[in-house]
Amino acid sequence: MTLLVSTLKRFGDAVKVRIGETTTTRYIALAETTDGRLGLFHHHMLPGAAGAAPHYHTRISESFYVISGEVTVHDGTGWHKAHAGDFLHVPEHAVHGFRNDSDAPAEMLIIFTPAENREAYFTGLAELLANGNTPSRAEMVALMEKYDQFEIDEP
């Protein structure tokens, strides 16, 4: 048996992108690091951060683990408050969303399985929202659909 080499990634060395004025995402585990098996991102949201409207993915599951603060999550039935230590798992084709409705910052880990190159989605989102830009609905839909994300009307 041949043993493989493990990969240690330091938090401070992770690629960081700013999404609009309210959110910072760090790419902790990239698709290339995990052979595409999972992606792990650290998501920091300032008070009032819009997050993601209700949507679903067809090829990936997504999970959220709240590290600090309060995150409002959508579980397919409605919006609920999640606090530090709370976990939401979302299988493929399940509706979900998140935002920070609180008056304090919030942090969470987002886990994607398989990874599906979600860092490209978040980088694209950061680019669309850079410098106070307001992308068109068509630009947003094109980016989302390119990376297996489909918004729905809120149930």
Side-chain angles (χ1 to χ4, degrees):
M1 173 173 70
T2 303
L3 296 178
L4 300 175
V5 176
S6 301
T7 304
L8 174 64
K9 182 138 194 173
R10 304 279 183 202
F11 183 76
D13 294 338
V15 171
K16 179 171 69 171
V17 296
R18 177 115 177 150
I19 301 170
E21 298 299 317
T22 60
T23 303
T24 302
T25 299
R26 288 179 191 259
Y27 307 148
I28 306 299
L30 303 170
E32 66 189 35
T33 307
T34 66
D35 196 27
R37 293 186 175 131
L38 75 94
L40 176 66
F41 301 160
H42 177 269
H43 210 63
H44 181 272
M45 297 180 290
L46 294 176
H55 65 279
Y56 66 93
H57 308 284
T58 63
R59 298 185 307 270
I60 58 176
S61 68
E62 187 172 5
S63 297
F64 304 92
Y65 179 77
V66 180
I67 299 169
S68 67
E70 178 182 279
V71 179
T72 304
V73 296
H74 198 291
D75 67 354
T77 66
W79 293 98
H80 308 278
K81 303 289 185 198
H83 302 90
D86 290 347
F87 177 78
L88 173 67
H89 174 70
V90 182
E92 298 90 342
H93 298 280
V95 174
H96 60 287
F98 63 88
R99 61 186 185 222
N100 182 359
D101 291 334
S102 78
D103 294 331
E107 293 178 281
M108 65 181 176
L109 296 176
I110 305 175
I111 304 124
F112 298 99
T113 55
E116 284 280 322
N117 194 19
R118 287 300 285 176
E119 56 270 18
Y121 168 74
F122 283 101
T123 298
L125 188 57
E127 289 169 357
L128 282 178
L129 296 170
N131 303 315
N133 290 336
T134 302
S136 70
R137 180 74 184 142
E139 289 173 307
M140 290 297 292
V141 167
L143 176 68
M144 287 186 281
E145 291 183 357
K146 179 177 180 181
Y147 295 104
D148 188 39
Q149 183 163 322
F150 306 92
E151 282 192 345
I152 64 154
D153 290 332
E154 195 164 328

